[in-house]
Amino acid sequence: MPVALEARRSLPGLRVRPQPGDLIAGLSVALILIPQSLALADLAGLPAYHGLYAAVLPLLVAAFFVSSPYLQTGPVAITSLLTFGALSSMALAKSPDFVALAALLAIVVGLARVGLGLARAGFLAHFMSHAVLVGFTTGAAILIIASQLPTALGAPAPAGKLLVRAWWALSYPGSWELASIALGGLTIVLVLGGRRLHALFPGVLVAVAIGLAFSLLTGYTGPSVGAIPSGLPPFTLDLPWRALPALLVPGGVIALVGFAEPAAIARTFAAQDRQRWSPDREFISQGMANLAAGVSGGFPVGGSFGRSFVTRLAGGKTRWSGAITGLAVLAFLPVAGVLAALPRAILGAIIIAAVVKLVQLASLAGIWRFSKPQALIAWLTFAATLVLAPRIDYAVLFGIALSVVVHLWRELLVTVRARFDDDTLTLEPMGVLFFASAPPLDDALIEQLAQHPEASRLVIDLKRLGRIDYTGALAIKSVADEARQAGMEVEIADVPTQSRRLLTRVLGPDSPYFR
C-alpha cells in the first residue's frame, strides 16, 4: 500500500475517535510540556517563548500521520543542542537572524524526514550502531548539563565553549546566587524524586508553581523568563533561504539522530502492546511536524520518551492524545505571560533533570567487556562530541564513519585454519568472503599449499564462511583449479546454504570439486 494512502487512511478524523483517556493524557503532558518547551528553546539558543510555538502546530500536524498512539512530539533536548550547535556560528543566539535560521533548519529536517518516509527508508532509523548512539548521547547529555550549570547556579559565565563556561561557573562560587541554587536544587529534587513516588507526579508543574510564587512574593530580581508575547505563533515563509546550503548537513544529521528516540519509543510500545508500527509513517509524521514548526516560528522537534511514557501511563489510547496536548498549549498562549516572572534557574534545572539519565558512563565502560572495537567506536564518538562542541553534528558523522571503517576492517579479516592428516590438507577459511577479502584468502590458501608440498589431496571446507560473493567464489575456483593442475585431488565441502547456488553457478553444476 502506498505510504501516502496508508497515512491518509489513518487520519484520526477519519478512523479514530478520541477516548476519555486521551483528554487526561493530553492535558497531563501539556502541563509538563509548557515549562519544558521554554527551557528547551533556551537550550536551542532561541528566546524561551519560541518553545511554545514549537509545541502547538507540530503536535497537531503529527497527529494526522503518527504511527504510535502514544508518541508525543515537540522540543527535545538532544535536537535542541544540535540546533544550537548548527546555528551558533551563523548568527547570534536569540537574535532575529538566529530565530529565522532555526525555523529554516526545521524545514530542512522536515523535508529530509518526509522524503525518507516516502522512500520507505525507515530502516535508516537503525543505521547508527548502539556504540555510536551511546557515545554521542552521553557526550551530548554532559554538554547539555554543562550549558545549564551557570543558569542553575545563577552565575553569569562569560561567553565561550560550553564546558569552559561550566568550569568557570563551578570555579567561582562567589558568583553563585543563593536563590537560584535553592530553586534549581528544589526543582531537581521534585522532578527526580517525584518520579520515584509515582511516574505521574507533576514535579515540573510543582517546581514552576513554587518558582512563580517565590518570584512574585519576594520581588525576585534575578534572571527570569521575561516577556512572552500573547497570541498565535507567527506564520511566515520569509526565511533566509540563501543559508539553505549551509544547513543541509546539520539538517540531515538531525533528521537521522533525532529520529532514533521516536523510533525507539514507538517500537518499544508497539512490542508491549503487540501492535504493528511503521517507521516509514513515523518518519513522515516527524517530518510534517518539523515542517509545521518551521512555518510557525519554531525550531527542529522530535519525539520525547518521557512525555510519551506519561501519555501511555495516563491512559492515552489514540493519536488524539498528542493533538489534545497541542490544543492545550494553543489555549495557553493568550495567558502565557504569567510565566514571565519564572526564574531561569528553574528552566535550567528542568533540563538537567530531564537529561541526567542520558549520561551512560557505565554503559560506555561495559561495552569493553563485549567488544573492544565497538567500545573504541563508543569512546571516540563520546570524545569527539565533547571536543567538537558545539558542532556535535560532526561528531555523529565521525562516529558513523568510524563504524563503517571498523566494519570493513573486520570484514577483511579472513583467516584460514589448516589441518594436515596423512596426505590430505584441509583448509577452513573463516569470515566473510567478498571482493575485498578474496585476494588475502587466495594468498593464504596458496601459502598453505606451499607449506605442504607432500599433500596429494585438498579439502576446502567452507562451513565457517558467513557469506560468499561472486569475487569470493572466483577466488575459491582459482585455488581449486591451481591445486588440481598441480596434480591434487580437490574437494569443496560444507558449502553454506546461502552461497550454494552462487558457487554452483561459478564452478558449474557438474564440477568435480563437489562430492
Side-chain angles (χ1 to χ4, degrees), residues 174-210:
S175 65
W176 296 357
E177 184 190 40
L178 183 59
S180 294
I181 295 174
L183 291 171
L186 179 62
T187 298
I188 292 174
V189 169
L190 286 171
V191 175
L192 298 182
R195 291 175 187 165
R196 293 181 175 272
L197 294 176
H198 195 279
L200 291 178
F201 180 80
V204 172
L205 181 62
V206 173
V208 168
I210 292 175

Side-chain angles (χ1 to χ4, degrees), residues 38-63:
L38 296 174
L40 292 169
D42 188 71
L43 173 62
L46 283 82
Y49 61 85
H50 279 268
L52 295 175
Y53 299 158
V56 178
L57 192 60
L59 279 79
L60 296 174
V61 171

Side-chain angles (χ1 to χ4, degrees), residues 304-325:
S304 164
F305 187 86
R307 298 195 298 268
S308 299
F309 179 73
V310 169
T311 297
R312 191 168 190 265
L313 204 61
K317 298 296 182 183
T318 74
R319 294 179 293 277
W320 274 103
S321 300
I324 290 172
T325 299

